[in-house]
Amino acid sequence: MTKMGKSTDSVMELQRRAEPAPERTIVLIGLMGAGKTCVGRKLAARVGRPFVDADAEIELAAGCTIAEIFDRLGEAAFRDGERRVMARLLDGKPSVLASGGGAFVDPGTRGLIAEKAVSVWLRADLDLLIKRTAGRDHRPLLKTGNPRDILKGLMEKRYGTYAEADITVDSADRPPDVTVERVFRALANHFGEQLSPSELQD
Ligand code: S3P
């Protein structure tokens, strides 16, 4: 028995139930600036999983930055690389995986995510996306014109597809932990496990 009187078995059962997406990689999707990397890193710590950032993995595999890939080889080559890297990552151990904004738009990648993972769309409004992407210059797509127009166009093009995600969570214009908690609860609901914080304490 533990100090709170629960048997070891029931504590283990609660720990098992605290895993909000058993055996499945949690893939965060959404537009640039939605908070996928920041929320993903914190969510991974919260659920005790490795955090993987698809953009960083693409850069590692290519040996150069995403901006350089776009510049030297073009967007189509980037998308090919992204598709291959996503397939490899989705084959790995369950993790929290922050995808690049365009990954879920690819039908092949979307199919693999549906088969092997659980997808969470971090939905954000235009002003929040603009605020979060402003002053960062590593995103080639935002350099081709006015970021507001580009992001607005991408919202129109992609939000219908993002809506196919298993779970949609509004990205809060507040500290990232607020969104992390929303995602955690939404996952618990999705997998039919609703836990109160007190249940998780031994
Ligand atoms: C892209 C989003 C970027 C990156 C690339 C293309 C997109 O990732 O993959 O610049 O098509 O939306 P983030 O969403 O992590 O910024």
Side-chain angles (χ1 to χ4, degrees), residues 6-15:
K6 289 192 183 103
S7 73
T8 307
D9 276 0
S10 69
V11 169
M12 281 172 67
E13 172 64 6
L14 286 172
Q15 281 168 345

Side-chain angles (χ1 to χ4, degrees), residues 3-122:
K3 59 182 183 303
M4 293 288 287
K6 289 192 183 103
S7 73
T8 307
D9 276 0
S10 69
V11 169
M12 281 172 67
E13 172 64 6
L14 286 172
Q15 281 168 345
R16 187 192 66 72
R17 291 172 58 203
E19 163 57 86
E23 303 302 319
R24 286 192 161 239
T25 283
I26 300 164
V27 182
L28 300 179
I29 69 161
L31 270 187
M32 297 171 273
K36 302 180 296 285
T37 301
C38 176
V39 168
R41 191 168 279 123
K42 284 171 172 282
L43 180 69
R46 171 87 159 83
V47 301
R49 294 245 189 122
F51 170 70
V52 182
D53 183 74
D55 286 345
E57 292 290 328
I58 293 166
E59 293 186 334
L60 204 64
C64 60
T65 66
I66 288 175
E68 285 164 346
I69 304 174
F70 268 73
D71 203 35
R72 291 177 197 161
L73 306 169
E75 181 171 351
F78 169 76
R79 297 296 171 201
D80 283 347
E82 179 174 54
R83 193 177 304 116
R84 284 197 298 274
V85 168
M86 283 297 289
R88 170 170 60 78
L89 297 176
L90 287 163
D91 237 5
K93 283 200 186 132
S95 64
V96 174
L97 171 58
S99 65
F104 196 72
V105 180
D106 178 82
T109 302
R110 198 159 67 248
L112 280 183
I113 292 173
E115 189 190 319
K116 300 182 171 183
V118 55
S119 49
V120 181
W121 174 23
L122 291 187

